[in-house]
């Protein structure tokens, strides 16, 4: 089978017994960086020296056939430099190929920078979306933020420390300076830091320079303020366009924050 093994995102003490046992018995280890993998094995006191196969952005597709064939005969363990493989790390193409070949894919769960940052952020965790790495180019970044302007769920993304200040400054422009956000830096490591505030406040803080691995957590958009009459007109327009009344009411209520029941009752009355 193919085993996706989550590794510590900083503190080696977070390595669980199952991960250690998996690495101690592995014969083939797919790794993002062989040097990082060797340090991990040494740091966990693992004497086992499995065959290391490099699986990164440049080599993954060239290694797929070999690793799938190996996984069909024995276990192949896949790790990234930190956290869970395939989550903004290599491995997705290999997983798809293994599934298509009928190879069992399982996981040894481990630390996740996404979930750790979300948990400590103090922002709503009941509904969230992970956006991977923020776009680098200004135009793409602004279009991406424009799409997130009305996103009601909490947004989690990664960013380079060198680009964090500029991202936060553009967020203040596109989303408004008062949108709440959290910067989680060096999670689980010695110099862990979690900074909370508005995007404008965080942009000012980051201007002085930031180091380390960054996870940015952005609060969801507040419901748009709308009059009930305008909302009712929108519901009726959607119904006229073919949307079921129940669905149209739910969609408009979600977008405006108004009562679904009240909108539905008014729409029924208006249609009589």
């Amino acid at each position: 089978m193919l085993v996706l093994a989550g590794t510590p995102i900083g503190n080696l003490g977070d390595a669980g017994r199952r991960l250690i046992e998996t690495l101690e018995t592995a014969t083939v280890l797919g790794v993002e960086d062989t040097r990082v993998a060797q340090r991990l094995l040494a740091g966990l006191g693992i004497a086992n020296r499995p065959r290391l196969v490099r699986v990164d952005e440049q080599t993954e597709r060239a290694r797929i056939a070999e690793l799938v064939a190996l996984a069909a005969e024995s276990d192949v363990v896949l790790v990234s430099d930190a956290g869970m493989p395939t989550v903004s790390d290599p491995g997705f193409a290999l997983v798809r190929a293994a599934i298509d070949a009928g190879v069992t894919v399982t996981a040894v769960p481990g630390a996740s920078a996404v979930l750790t940052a979300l948990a400590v952020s103090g922002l709503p965790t009941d509904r969230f979306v992970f956006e991977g790495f923020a776009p680098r180019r200004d135009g793409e970044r602004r279009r991406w933020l424009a799409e997130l302007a009305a996103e009601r769920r909490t947004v989690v993304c990664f960013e380079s420390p060198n680009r964090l200040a500029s991202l936060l400054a553009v967020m203040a422009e596109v989303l408004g300076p008062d949108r709440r956000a959290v910067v989680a830096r060096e999670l689980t490591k010695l110099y862990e830091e979690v900074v909370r505030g508005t995007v404008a406040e965080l942009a000012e803080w980051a201007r002085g320079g930031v180091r380390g691995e960054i996870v940015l957590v952005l609060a969801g958009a507040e419901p748009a303020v709308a009059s009930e009459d305008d909302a009712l007109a929108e519901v009726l327009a959607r119904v006229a366009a073919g949307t079921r009344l129940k669905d149209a009411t739910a969609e408009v209520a979600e977008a405006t924050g108004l009562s679904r029941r009240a909108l539905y009752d008014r729409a029924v009355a208006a249609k009589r």
Side-chain angles (χ1 to χ4, degrees), residues 40-63:
L40 174 66
L41 295 173
L44 295 178
I46 295 172
N48 180 34
R49 289 296 177 262
R51 176 189 170 196
L52 302 183
V53 179
R54 186 178 167 194
V55 182
D56 58 17
E57 290 182 358
Q58 288 73 41
T59 64
E60 180 177 2
R61 293 196 177 277
R63 298 289 194 182

Side-chain angles (χ1 to χ4, degrees), residues 10-11 183-195 205 210-214:
N11 192 323
V183 174
R185 187 181 72 85
E186 293 290 87
L187 286 169
T188 78
K189 299 177 184 176
L190 180 62
Y191 296 106
E192 175 179 294
E193 184 178 20
V194 180
V195 185
W205 165 79
V210 180
R211 292 182 178 181
E213 295 185 349
I214 302 295

